[in-house]
Amino acid sequence: MIPILYDRDVGLKYDDNGIGFLPDTIKAVVTEERNGTYELSMQYPVSGKRYDQIGDGCLVKVKANHTSVPQLFRIYKSSKPLKGIVTYSAQHISYDLGGFPLAGFTAQNVTAAQAIQKALTETPFSSYFSTQTDIATLNSTTIEGACTVRGLLGGMRGSILDVWGGEYEFNNRTIILHSARGADNGVTIEYGKNMTALQQESQIADTYSHIMPYASYTESEGGDPVYVFLPEKVLSNGINGVFAHGVNRALIMDFSDKFGEGVVPTISRLRTLANQWVSLYGLNYLSPKINIKVSFLPLAQTEEYKNIAPLETVSLCDTVTVRYPALGVNAKTKVIKTVYNALTEKYESITLGDMKESFAALMSTQISAVAQMRQSIDRPVFFITDP
């Protein structure tokens, strides 16, 4: 697809050809990560048509992957001409929400879509954004300090990702939160078939054999906090209390914010929450993590496999099976990053592995969110509300 240039403020009118096509584009590559980066890198010659109309803040519409409609990207940086070629960096239009402020935020007993829509209504800027989700869970969150709408989406404690979970898809000005964006279509990445390189890394730095839950509350306003622990202090992940690597490590987790208003934390209630957490995340969280970095040729893009291309199509957040018998690798893993050539409409690279939400890294104005990141990942999405 030939990129199309639009003025800085197109509102909802971007179904036409805007200012016009950029036919002399040398390069247009879109990088998208699971719940993370979504950017365009474009190179254009100073001698190219409409070069003098390309400026910071302008929008460029390109094909960003093989499934979605063309997407809008806003130029935020350009290089000095090098041999007559300028490189432009542009972020998906959803990044506009990083400049939409909120004076704190509270949502009680609502769905994720209702919470996002509430934020879009409360920001003082007209956004033209809408939202949809298949997550029907009712939940609550409160953010006391100022933040942005995009920061609320993910990357800080109490964010939509933190409380409701899910995987984002941004379709121009539509914010879509999937319970699971991708699918397992039976695609295999296999040595001798379509694999070009493989690197497997196993690490236990963030793995645990036990969980140590606790909660705190105050008996009166301004009083000292009262802490509640289990008598046995820790719960095992079910491997006989012994870590497979010979070291016991306990994950210390504060469940204070998982007690509804007026509900006093007790040992029995704390135990219920902790057991629910282990039941939900247990062995998936408390076992060694294996990252598989694979380079492979998407067979759907090859002439030989064109007749079975639908069976070999891979998209962001899809689950695929990686097989390399010589290394003892036979595992399912998720697509966490794609690099798509918008001109040829083919993937340049697809990365597989285990990646946590990375919105915090994108929010340069939300520095404190980075420190909170580790606390907010994989937090339980349930509450105790009955007194």
Side-chain angles (χ1 to χ4, degrees):
M1 171 184 172
I2 299 175
I4 304 174
L5 181 66
Y6 290 83
D7 195 7
R8 293 171 177 81
D9 184 13
V10 297
L12 294 174
K13 300 177 182 179
Y14 47 84
D15 291 332
D16 57 15
N17 292 331
I19 295 174
F21 288 91
L22 298 174
D24 300 306
T25 302
I26 297 172
K27 172 186 175 183
V29 174
V30 175
T31 299
E32 183 179 11
E33 297 178 353
R34 175 180 176 265
N35 286 338
T37 299
Y38 199 3
E39 295 203 6
L40 164 70
S41 177
M42 183 179 75
Q43 292 183 349
Y44 206 77
V46 296
S47 59
K49 188 175 183 179
R50 300 191 177 90
Y51 163 75
D52 59 340
Q53 294 176 276
I54 307 174
D56 289 346
C58 286
L59 292 160
V60 179
K61 184 165 70 174
V62 298
K63 187 75 173 165
N65 54 59
H66 73 284
T67 57
S68 66
V69 299
Q71 299 292 303
L72 293 169
F73 293 81
R74 189 178 299 280
I75 296 173
Y76 68 91
K77 183 175 67 174
S78 61
S79 67
K80 293 182 178 180
L82 180 62
K83 296 183 179 180
I85 298 173
V86 178
T87 297
Y88 297 93
S89 298
Q91 297 172 324
H92 190 266
I93 194 170
S94 60
Y95 280 64
D96 285 2
L97 295 172
F100 284 58
L102 291 169
F105 183 77
T106 297
Q108 298 294 324
N109 200 35
V110 297
T111 64
Q114 290 172 327
I116 297 173
Q117 189 57 50
K118 185 174 187 289
L120 294 175
T121 301
E122 292 182 357
T123 183
F125 296 158
S126 178
S127 67
Y128 300 111
F129 282 84
S130 62
T131 184
Q132 62 188 61
T133 180
D134 61 354
I135 300 176
T137 306
L138 299 180
N139 230 319
S140 304
T141 188
T142 296
I143 297 175
E144 296 181 352
C147 65
T148 67
V149 175
R150 189 169 173 88
L152 175 68
L153 295 182
M156 60 190 305
R157 189 166 185 175
S159 69
I160 303 300
L161 275 183
D162 181 24
V163 177
W164 281 267
E167 295 174 330
Y168 280 114
E169 176 185 359
F170 296 100
N171 183 13
N172 288 314
R173 285 195 168 105
T174 301
I175 305 165
I176 307 170
L177 181 61
H178 301 272
S179 55
R181 174 175 172 177
D184 186 347
N185 297 315
V187 175
T188 60
I189 314 301
E190 193 166 353
Y191 177 73
K193 174 187 174 185
N194 53 352
M195 182 184 299
T196 59
L198 177 145
Q199 178 183 352
Q200 176 176 298
E201 179 182 273
S202 177
Q203 54 91 14
I204 64 171
D206 294 319
T207 58
Y208 303 87
S209 61
H210 297 73
I211 179 175
M212 182 179 181
Y214 76 94
S216 64
Y217 67 99
T218 55
E219 296 179 333
S220 61
E221 186 175 352
D224 294 331
V226 177
Y227 290 88
V228 178
F229 294 90
L230 299 181
E232 65 274 35
K233 299 298 188 294
V234 296
L235 293 175
S236 167
N237 69 351
I239 315 179
N240 299 321
V242 178
F243 193 33
H245 290 260
V247 179
N248 285 323
R249 301 180 72 240
L251 172 67
I252 301 173
M253 180 168 286
D254 183 359
F255 285 87
S256 301
D257 61 349
K258 297 307 175 185
F259 288 84
E261 185 176 354
V263 179
V264 176
T266 63
I267 291 175
S268 61
R269 289 169 176 165
L270 179 62
R271 190 186 306 280
T272 297
L273 278 177
N275 282 327
Q276 286 179 336
W277 190 91
V278 172
S279 176
L280 280 175
Y281 301 105
L283 294 177
N284 291 328
Y285 187 87
L286 304 176
S287 59
K289 289 185 170 56
I290 297 178
N291 293 333
I292 301 176
K293 297 181 181 180
V294 178
S295 298
F296 69 99
L297 176 66
L299 295 182
Q301 298 181 175
T302 64
E303 183 68 21
E304 294 84 350
Y305 280 80
K306 66 179 181 180
N307 294 327
I308 62 168
L311 301 178
E312 290 291 342
T313 299
V314 178
S315 303
L316 189 68
C317 297
D318 278 356
T319 298
V320 301
T321 300
V322 179
R323 293 175 182 160
Y324 198 140
L327 296 181
V329 175
N330 187 358
K332 288 185 178 294
T333 187
K334 188 177 284 272
V335 177
I336 59 172
K337 179 180 179 181
T338 60
V339 178
Y340 189 79
N341 189 317
L343 299 180
T344 63
E345 298 189 19
K346 291 184 177 182
Y347 288 107
E348 291 192 350
S349 68
I350 297 176
T351 303
L352 313 177
D354 179 12
M355 177 183 288
K356 298 179 180 179
E357 283 73 16
S358 58
F359 264 55
L362 305 177
M363 305 302 296
S364 59
T365 60
Q366 306 260 344
I367 302 300
S368 62
V370 177
Q372 297 167 343
M373 190 62 173
R374 289 178 59 83
Q375 300 175 22
S376 57
I377 293 174
D378 288 342
R379 292 185 62 80
V381 294
F382 41 78
F383 288 76
I384 285 186
T385 56
D386 54 324

